[in-house]
Amino acid sequence: MKTKRDGSRKGKDREELPPTQIGRALQELAIPWIPAHSPQAKGRVERGFLTAQDRLVKGMRVAGVTTLEQANHYLETEFLPWVNSTLAVAAANPEDAHRPLEKQHDLAAILSHVEKRRVNNDYTFPLGAKIYRIARKDVCAGLRGAYIRVEQRRDGTVAARFRDRYLSVEKCDQRAKVTPAKPAQRKPQSKPMKKSEWNKDFDLKKGPKVWLAAQSSGAKREEAL
């Protein structure tokens, strides 16, 4: 399916994909996203990435940077001043176009990794390989089985919001693994019964004739028809 310059799609419409984390943050800050459809704009972005991935890494290696604190110090004192004096271009309009931060903008919540999680029947929800539980005081109608907004913030904390209210959550201990029940032990098979040997030495060919055996037993021989 092809995409036109204006963002419209040619042919059959398909379901719109959810925004990325950057796209979501821009929406919450009411900042429009202007895609770069020209190769010239993409080239400038790629050259900027190349400068950061090449010169910055080599400069930190020469400076002997080994920790995060040293990297931040090098970035602020050496690399950024070099970029501003060498690569920066003065804007055509010197007026500051930055918009002030409004009261409804919570940067800690907006600049976090946001995911949706469904609340289980016991008011817990999974996040990664961990389980979090919602405090009893924050349990309300409609919470069970609903989807909540879970924010993994930059300071390492986790915040959960249901509708317009934040919930108190805590990490649960790892659930004990359920060990499968051992199969019932089968009773040992009984030994096969020993075959009877009552006719072990019996040989029909060596035995007496039937009519002789009948005479010896006192029975009368039936006359042949």
Side-chain angles (χ1 to χ4, degrees):
M1 187 178 298
K2 296 182 179 180
T3 305
K4 298 181 181 180
R5 284 282 182 99
D6 57 357
S8 61
R9 297 187 180 277
K10 181 180 179 181
K12 187 178 179 181
D13 294 338
R14 63 180 179 182
E15 185 179 358
E16 185 178 357
L17 296 176
T20 61
Q21 294 294 329
I22 295 178
R24 173 200 55 78
L26 292 176
Q27 290 178 3
E28 295 179 4
L29 289 170
I31 298 176
W33 173 63
I34 304 176
H37 294 293
S38 64
Q40 293 82 2
K42 294 182 179 179
R44 288 193 293 269
V45 174
E46 293 298 332
R47 284 194 295 272
F49 289 160
L50 181 61
T51 302
Q53 296 172 1
D54 181 69
R55 188 180 184 92
L56 176 59
V57 176
K58 293 178 180 178
M60 288 193 297
R61 187 183 298 118
V62 172
V65 174
T66 57
T67 63
L68 180 61
E69 292 75 12
Q70 294 176 356
N72 289 330
H73 179 74
Y74 174 82
L75 185 67
E76 295 176 358
T77 59
E78 296 189 35
F79 184 75
L80 289 180
W82 173 82
V83 169
N84 293 331
S85 62
T86 308
L87 305 179
V89 179
N93 188 354
E95 294 184 3
D96 189 358
H98 290 89
R99 189 182 61 194
L101 190 67
E102 300 180 7
K103 294 182 179 180
Q104 70 272 16
H105 293 152
D106 185 1
L107 290 182
I110 295 174
L111 303 180
S112 60
H113 185 89
V114 178
E115 296 184 14
K116 286 186 178 181
R117 287 294 181 266
R118 188 172 184 177
V119 180
N120 300 323
N121 291 334
D122 56 353
Y123 297 105
T124 62
F125 61 89
L127 184 63
K130 301 176 182 178
I131 301 296
Y132 289 84
R133 178 175 57 241
I134 300 172
R136 184 182 296 273
K137 62 183 180 64
D138 290 334
V139 173
C140 59
L143 182 59
R144 182 185 299 174
Y147 284 93
I148 59 176
R149 171 189 168 113
V150 181
E151 303 168 356
Q152 301 180 61
R153 301 192 171 181
R154 298 183 61 188
D155 59 356
T157 60
V158 174
R161 190 175 73 187
F162 178 59
R163 295 171 184 166
D164 296 331
R165 183 169 63 95
Y166 278 96
L167 309 172
S168 300
V169 298
E170 60 180 355
K171 186 170 62 175
C172 302
D173 296 333
Q174 293 291 337
R175 295 179 179 177
K177 294 184 179 180
V178 180
T179 55
K182 295 182 179 180
Q185 296 181 355
R186 297 182 179 180
K187 295 182 179 179
Q189 296 181 355
S190 57
K191 295 182 180 180
M193 297 180 62
K194 189 176 181 181
K195 189 176 180 180
S196 177
E197 298 180 353
W198 65 271
N199 60 346
K200 178 179 180 182
D201 299 328
F202 178 77
D203 190 351
L204 186 62
K205 295 181 179 180
K206 295 181 181 180
K209 303 293 182 182
V210 177
W211 62 271
L212 291 176
Q215 284 183 354
S216 62
S217 65
K220 293 182 178 182
R221 180 183 179 185
E222 296 181 359
E223 296 182 357
L225 297 177

